[in-house]
Amino acid sequence: MKVCKDKKGGDKKLHAFVCFVLAAVVGALAAHVPGVSDWGAAGIAFAVAMAVGAWKEIRDARAAGNHFCPWDLLADFAGAWLGAGVVWLAGHFINVYI
């Protein structure tokens, strides 16, 4: 399996942004499920965004002429972590002030 060594490729920001948005949207939806806490919504958001990021990297590794990039996965992690953090903050402050 070919592995990427490009730490600063231009698509890293896109990976982070897509996972951030995905986590934020999924977390907002999860927060509306009865019984899901702010931590639960953040956990669901992070897990879904990382699952999508990991699936994409595995798919890339299997595609002809493409490769697995751990740096893309790290960018996915950063975006998912930040998106889940926003979900937690929103859920926490909604619960505190309402």
Side-chain angles (χ1 to χ4, degrees), residues 1-5 54 57-58 60-61 66-70 73:
M1 173 171 62
K2 186 177 175 184
V3 177
C4 174
K5 293 181 177 27
E57 288 309 309
I58 291 168
D60 285 351
N66 212 336
H67 60 275
F68 179 85
C69 185
L73 205 55

Side-chain angles (χ1 to χ4, degrees), residues 4 6-24 46 48-61 66-83:
C4 174
D6 180 22
K7 294 180 183 180
K8 297 182 182 181
D11 70 331
K12 306 305 181 261
K13 290 179 185 175
L14 181 61
H15 277 267
F17 177 73
V18 168
C19 281
F20 174 83
V21 170
L22 183 61
F46 179 79
V48 169
M50 281 305 299
V52 170
W55 169 78
K56 188 213 177 289
E57 288 309 309
I58 291 168
R59 192 186 63 158
D60 285 351
N66 212 336
H67 60 275
F68 179 85
C69 185
W71 305 109
D72 285 352
L73 205 55
L74 186 62
D76 293 337
F77 178 86
W81 184 260
L82 291 172

Side-chain angles (χ1 to χ4, degrees), residues 77-97:
F77 178 86
W81 184 260
L82 291 172
V86 168
V87 168
W88 180 84
L89 283 171
H92 176 74
F93 286 109
I94 287 171
N95 289 332
V96 168
Y97 293 111

